Amino acid sequence: KAGVTQTPRYLIKTRGQQVTLSCSPISGHRSVSWYQQTPGQGLQFLFEYFSETQRNKGNFPGRFSGRQFSNSRSEMNVSTLELGDSALYLCASSATGALSNTEAFFGQGTRLTVV
Amino acid sequence: AQSVTQLGSHVSVSEGALVLLRCNYSSSVPPYLFWYVQYPNQGLQLLLKYTSAATLVKGINGFEAEFKKSETSFHLTKPSAHMSDAAEYFCAVRIMEYGNKLVFGAGTILRVKS
């Protein structure tokens, strides 16, 4: 069974540009969550999608957005990039959306560097 | 509000020694607790989870954790450290009312000395 796949693994962008990151969850998983990891702030929750609907959102500016497709694949978009957006972006998938004891499986992440 | 505190951003042990990584949580309702491990430039891998079935939880790679409600703790232990255990460890809490959002501790970097 394939794991969570994130593409691309590495990305370099210039300030002011926008970027789209992709996440393919484990087959059969309908919940996809995104996290930002930085040395200063640690792991911060961005948002969660379940069955194409955003169900939960963290405290990030509107420049951060996402969506989920009918096949559960998810994309995350960051517009007007800032230097502070440089981070490892992690995607996690879960089997169901209702059970809090269900573990989240993480992808290897996309390392975004903004210059 | 839910939160997780990991005591000690860095822990150093000798190979073969006991590993103890501390995690305390704050939650007004019974939480679900998780420990994850992260190797350099990798994602997070689940070590174990507490879901109220048993207070002592065994995970992969010889790790285990004990849920102590009275102490609001979920410390991670391993009897004998191996060089391959060197990594960063994260404690996380999830509460049903917040959907699938995981709240992570700041992480503890484990160093294993030969």
Side-chain angles (χ1 to χ4, degrees):
Chain A
K1 197 173 188 181
V4 179
T5 303
Q6 290 188 247
T7 56
R9 286 293 311 279
Y10 301 91
L11 208 49
I12 300 175
K13 289 286 189 179
T14 304
R15 270 182 303 175
Q17 288 186 313
Q18 75 164 16
V19 66
T20 299
L21 312 182
S22 179
C23 172
S24 293
I26 292 171
S27 178
H29 285 193
R30 294 164 62 192
S31 170
V32 174
S33 299
W34 289 88
Y35 295 83
Q36 181 196 64
Q37 185 177 26
T38 59
Q41 299 298 317
L43 281 153
Q44 303 278 312
F45 173 78
L46 280 156
F47 29 65
E48 180 213 356
Y49 286 86
F50 180 74
S51 294
E52 301 180 64
T53 301
Q54 186 182 85
R55 187 168 64 170
N56 209 345
K57 190 176 188 302
N59 296 322
F60 279 81
R63 300 185 297 106
F64 292 80
S65 63
R67 59 178 176 169
Q68 187 179 34
F69 302 95
S70 58
N71 61 357
S72 292
R73 188 178 71 86
S74 177
E75 286 182 348
M76 190 193 107
N77 185 274
V78 187
S79 63
T80 320
L81 284 165
E82 301 176 359
L83 294 179
D85 297 333
S86 296
L88 181 66
Y89 290 88
L90 292 164
C91 167
S93 77
S94 299
T96 70
L99 300 178
S100 294
N101 63 349
T102 304
E103 59 262 44
F105 295 87
F106 284 80
Q108 292 193 308
T110 294
R111 172 74 64 184
L112 172 65
T113 302
V114 182
V115 298
Chain B
Q2 52 181 324
S3 69
V4 178
T5 302
Q6 290 184 240
L7 280 174
S9 59
H10 291 77
V11 170
S12 183
V13 301
S14 298
E15 192 172 19
L18 171 72
V19 175
L20 171 60
L21 304 182
R22 301 177 187 274
C23 172
N24 287 88
Y25 69 91
S26 171
S27 172
S28 58
V29 298
Y32 294 105
L33 295 157
F34 305 81
W35 273 100
Y36 284 88
V37 61
Q38 185 179 36
Y39 297 97
N41 293 316
Q42 298 293 319
L44 278 68
Q45 179 184 9
L46 180 72
L47 281 175
L48 47 81
K49 66 178 183 180
Y50 167 72
T51 60
S52 76
T55 56
L56 182 62
V57 181
K58 293 188 183 300
I60 63 171
N61 301 339
F63 284 93
E64 63 182 39
E66 185 173 9
F67 173 71
K68 292 187 177 180
K69 185 178 178 180
S70 61
E71 299 177 8
T72 60
S73 69
F74 190 56
H75 301 332
L76 181 71
T77 61
K78 182 174 181 177
S80 177
H82 191 270
M83 297 297 288
S84 61
D85 294 327
E88 188 163 16
Y89 293 79
F90 292 92
C91 182
V93 63
R94 173 189 282 166
I95 297 177
M96 187 178 294
E97 284 79 0
Y98 296 97
N100 277 338
K101 171 185 174 181
L102 280 166
V103 176
F104 286 90
T108 297
I109 295 174
L110 175 66
R111 179 189 169 210
V112 181
K113 300 175 290 184
S114 59

